[in-house]
Amino acid sequence: MTNKNLIDLEVMSTEQIDKIIKKTKKIMQSPADYRHACDGKILATLFYEPSTRTQMSFQTAMLKLGGRTIGFDNPMNSSVSKGESLKDTIAVISGYADIIAIRHPIEGTAMAASLYSEVPLINCGDGGHLHPTQTLTDIVTLSCEKGRLDNLKIGICGDLLNGRTVHSLIKTLSKYQNNSFVLISTKELCVPLYIIDILEKNGCKYEFSNSLAEAICDLDVLYMTRIQRERFKSAKEYEEQKNVFVLDREKLDKAKEDMIILHPLPRVNEITVDIDDDSRALYFKQAQYGMYGRMALILLLLQDEDFLIPSRSTVISEHRCSNPKCITQQESYLPNMSYEKLGMTMCDFCDKRIN
Ligand code: NCD
């Protein structure tokens, strides 16, 4: 089965991902050629959670393609504040817009929304789960700056438990040949088990580290992330984690000359500001690549009939997902959709195991 919704890059083949990257590069070479590519089209950005880059880069992408945008960035100013369900909001908005970009604090929301949308829908972050268009941003940057997506040693540092950009990035880069990962975090903020399962399944080398200073020496890419304060149960737990890993000049001096530093942003204090002028610090350029990547994605979803995104084969399961952070816990009308992986039954919304 195929569809036009981008919920998770994992279902795409590397050929399909490469097609988006190629399109992005073409747009970057001559953006003027695309000024009217989406004339008359409307993008709705439904942001139930704060955003600077993702929302504005989607809006800018659509404006640069000649289209227009509608939406909200504070659900309290929409009918959500009156108790409207996700299903009803999406059913209505998909009658107004040609394409929807959605961000929500609860895991699995984009998948849930896609069930009720008549138009292509893009996941712009669902709780601590996934963020596929940030990964698109990251891999466009890697392709342009390192010239490859394979044979890379990638260090990922910070909040690997709650960082949705980390989960999407590992899922995607583990599809390419001979990438290896150094997972740098405290034991409390280690990547979720289902991500480790994917690394194993794809036969990728990975190691854990609790020292950025040691791990940095032979990396090709260092992906820094902020500690996700909003996803902690208490302020105390956040305080204990917040300044454990900081990239500063002393540590960067140990890195290879051609290592690149990426960060999905926003930065809090995990990279000291003096690093910004180092030629290896690419995080601001990365945000700009993201806008071009999103232009390519909008174009492919709206205009390329052959660009169809494969769907997982799902079944209606007897049991409801018990992950308290899953959208199925909030929106009672959702079906119990699941899929089988490595002999286990997984929730189709949040990817957690259903017992
Ligand atoms: C990230 C996100 O929202 O997950 N930001 C972004 O989209 N560039 C990272 C973060 O908030 O830490």
Side-chain angles (χ1 to χ4, degrees):
M1 250 174 70
T2 51
N3 63 57
K4 281 273 185 185
N5 305 309
L6 179 60
I7 309 301
D8 181 353
L9 282 178
E10 195 194 17
V11 293
M12 281 193 196
S13 62
T14 50
E15 289 74 28
Q16 217 172 5
I17 295 173
D18 293 345
K19 186 169 181 177
I20 314 180
I21 297 175
K22 255 198 202 130
K23 186 87 177 172
T24 306
K25 289 181 179 170
K26 266 183 100 175
I27 297 173
M28 285 192 302
Q29 269 159 17
S30 49
D33 292 352
Y34 296 85
R35 249 195 315 241
H36 297 290
C38 284
D39 276 357
K41 298 286 182 201
I42 295 177
L43 162 77
T45 56
L46 311 184
F47 276 59
Y48 294 73
E49 235 192 8
S51 170
T52 300
R53 275 149 293 274
T54 308
Q55 187 182 27
M56 286 199 218
S57 66
F58 260 113
Q59 291 170 338
T60 312
M62 193 49 150
L63 294 173
K64 279 180 176 279
L65 292 168
R68 282 169 294 168
T69 69
I70 57 171
F72 58 75
D73 52 17
N74 177 358
M76 284 303 127
N77 292 337
S78 77
S79 284
V80 174
S81 65
K82 301 177 189 166
E84 184 168 61
S85 69
L86 179 74
K87 175 179 187 287
D88 290 3
T89 304
I90 299 297
V92 171
I93 304 297
S94 79
Y96 298 159
D98 299 285
I99 185 163
I100 296 175
I102 183 170
R103 167 173 288 189
H104 198 283
I106 300 178
E107 297 180 15
T109 299
M111 170 61 87
S114 71
L115 300 178
Y116 305 104
S117 178
E118 298 292 331
V119 298
L121 182 140
I122 302 168
N123 183 6
C124 293
D126 56 331
H129 183 216
L130 297 172
H131 192 345
T133 68
Q134 180 60 47
T135 298
L136 179 59
T137 299
D138 304 338
I139 60 179
V140 167
T141 310
L142 286 175
S143 176
C144 293
E145 298 288 336
K146 294 297 282 181
R148 65 185 196 276
L149 296 177
D150 52 14
N151 292 292
L152 292 167
K153 184 160 188 176
I154 306 135
I156 307 187
C157 179
D159 191 344
L160 312 192
L161 176 67
N162 302 301
R164 54 195 174 196
T165 64
V166 170
H167 308 155
S168 284
L169 185 64
I170 295 177
K171 281 175 114 178
T172 300
L173 284 182
S174 66
K175 285 166 170 280
Y176 289 83
Q177 287 291 304
N178 207 27
N179 284 330
S180 64
F181 298 86
V182 187
L183 305 169
I184 310 156
S185 72
T186 60
K187 62 178 184 332
E188 290 82 4
L189 298 184
C190 187
V191 278
L193 260 181
Y194 85 97
I195 296 291
I196 299 290
D197 288 343
I198 289 168
L199 287 168
E200 294 273 348
K201 186 185 104 201
N202 292 342
C204 290
K205 282 199 202 128
Y206 64 92
E207 58 190 280
F208 299 99
S209 168
N210 57 13
S211 165
L212 177 55
E214 281 170 24
I216 201 168
C217 308
D218 59 346
L219 299 177
D220 299 308
V221 182
L222 174 61
Y223 195 86
M224 292 297 294
T225 64
R226 101 188 140 90
I227 306 300
Q228 307 272 303
R229 182 174 51 186
E230 67 278 26
R231 313 222 188 272
F232 282 77
K233 286 199 196 93
S234 69
K236 182 173 167 282
E237 282 171 84
Y238 169 69
E239 291 298 320
E240 282 164 9
Q241 298 287 338
K242 75 171 183 194
N243 288 325
V244 179
F245 298 105
V246 177
L247 177 64
D248 54 17
R249 174 57 54 193
E250 200 188 328
K251 293 188 195 90
L252 186 57
D253 283 345
K254 298 183 200 271
K256 296 204 290 199
E257 279 306 307
D258 64 348
M259 183 195 80
I260 62 169
I261 310 163
L262 302 184
H263 191 311
L265 303 176
R267 158 177 57 186
V268 182
N269 47 11
E270 57 283 346
I271 301 178
T272 57
V273 176
D274 57 317
I275 303 289
D276 296 355
D277 297 327
D278 194 290
S279 60
R280 291 168 284 188
L282 292 184
Y283 26 92
F284 296 120
K285 204 170 176 191
Q286 180 186 355
Q288 202 185 16
Y289 281 127
M291 181 197 66
Y292 289 112
R294 289 174 173 120
M295 285 173 80
L297 181 65
I298 292 173
L299 271 180
L300 289 167
L301 288 175
L302 285 182
Q303 294 184 350
D304 186 336
E305 283 177 9
D306 297 331
F307 190 79
L308 294 170
I309 300 180
S311 304
R312 279 191 292 236
S313 34
T314 55
V315 293
I316 302 294
S317 120
E318 251 177 71
H319 304 287
R320 198 145 184 91
C321 176
S322 58
N323 170 14
K325 295 181 179 165
C326 178
I327 189 70
T328 53
Q329 300 282 326
Q330 304 257 333
E331 308 273 328
S332 56
Y333 51 84
L334 288 171
N336 299 339
M337 281 164 56
S338 66
Y339 65 97
E340 292 294 313
K341 201 181 76 188
L342 306 168
M344 294 181 291
T345 306
M346 315 297 286
C347 172
D348 197 37
F349 298 97
C350 70
D351 288 309
K352 300 291 171 325
R353 192 174 170 176
I354 300 181
N355 294 313

